[in-house]
Amino acid sequence: MTLSRIGRRPINKKRVDLEKLVKETYELLSEAERKDRKVDFTVKSCPPVSSDPQLLKIVLSNLLSNALKFTRKCKKAEIEFGCKIKDKKTIFYVKDNGIGFDMKYADKLFAPFQRLHKEEEYEGSGIGLATVQRIIRRHGGEIRAESLPGSGSTFYFTL
Ligand SMILES: Nc1ncnc2c1ncn2[C@@H]1O[C@H](COP(=O)(O)OP(=O)(O)O)[C@@H](O)[C@H]1O
Ligand SMILES: [Mg+2]
């Protein structure tokens, strides 16, 4: 339902201070996921963007909660949000040093209900990245993932 609602809802673009939104979103994420763990969380400085702040928050919340979830077994989890400029376009990324996944399945991740990890180990419904992709596309952007099993994942997106 959330997915189809996001597909129809009008986009309200505003100037958004991403750094601030990323930090706020991270703080709001389930305490349970962060407690008793050492997570090294870094936010690099990024230019402000023109986007729908509520929808962007859903994007960030999903990417950051995945990063937290899939670094759960790391001795020292490292999560970074930042951006790069390429061909005058800003590419944002969320990078973690977690369990990673096989790139063979990289496209599947964004389809609803597709999950690469076992429910017993990493709970979830498989709807997060499908929602994220839908929101990003509605902003005229794209998202892709890069990973190496055991060495972490990076999700890159434009808006
Ligand atoms: N940061 C990540 N590291 C490793 N695998 C990931 C990461 N983010 C997503 N995935 C893989 O993509 C699948 C789909 O993600 P998502 O749609 O957010 O579903 P959920 O979090 O409910 O499992 C996950 O089940 C997992 O297999
Ligand atoms: Mg998820």
Side-chain angles (χ1 to χ4, degrees):
M1 275 181 66
T2 308
L3 252 183
S4 68
R5 225 175 17 237
I6 285 165
R8 288 192 309 264
R9 179 184 174 300
I11 297 234
N12 274 314
K13 283 196 184 178
K14 284 191 190 130
R15 188 185 151 96
V16 178
D17 177 349
L18 251 182
E19 257 174 272
K20 199 170 145 220
L21 190 65
V22 169
K23 287 178 184 162
E24 277 171 16
T25 309
Y26 183 78
E27 291 305 318
L28 281 177
L29 286 173
S30 111
E31 288 281 322
E33 186 60 83
R34 287 189 290 136
K35 78 164 195 256
D36 303 330
R37 285 181 62 189
K38 184 158 171 38
V39 182
D40 185 351
F41 180 57
T42 314
V43 183
K44 300 266 157 120
S45 101
C46 290
V49 291
S50 169
S51 85
D52 185 314
Q54 277 174 312
L55 292 178
L56 194 55
K57 199 164 188 162
I58 299 175
V59 166
L60 296 172
S61 168
N62 275 296
L63 294 176
L64 292 170
S65 71
N66 281 347
L68 279 166
K69 175 159 59 178
F70 296 106
T71 53
R72 200 178 278 165
K73 289 178 185 166
C74 292
K75 269 213 183 86
K76 187 175 169 236
E78 287 165 23
I79 300 174
E80 182 179 306
F81 178 88
C83 65
K84 298 177 181 180
I85 313 247
K86 199 183 164 197
D87 304 327
K88 289 186 181 162
K89 273 210 136 183
T90 313
I91 303 169
F92 301 96
Y93 64 83
V94 176
K95 182 178 162 65
D96 68 59
N97 66 338
I99 182 175
F101 58 85
D102 188 335
M103 283 297 283
K104 200 161 66 181
Y105 306 109
D107 290 339
K108 280 202 168 39
L109 300 183
F110 300 99
F113 311 117
Q114 296 281 350
R115 311 192 64 236
L116 306 182
H117 299 94
K118 285 201 208 85
E119 173 72 29
E120 305 88 79
E121 260 184 297
Y122 298 97
E123 71 298 333
S125 60
I127 206 72
L129 288 178
T131 309
V132 164
Q133 187 184 56
R134 188 159 298 185
I135 293 173
I136 284 174
R137 289 195 169 157
R138 291 216 57 205
H139 278 81
E142 262 312 322
I143 180 158
R144 65 183 181 85
E146 257 173 31
S147 184
L148 208 81
S151 307
S153 316
T154 309
F155 286 79
Y156 295 96
F157 64 96
T158 52
L159 284 168

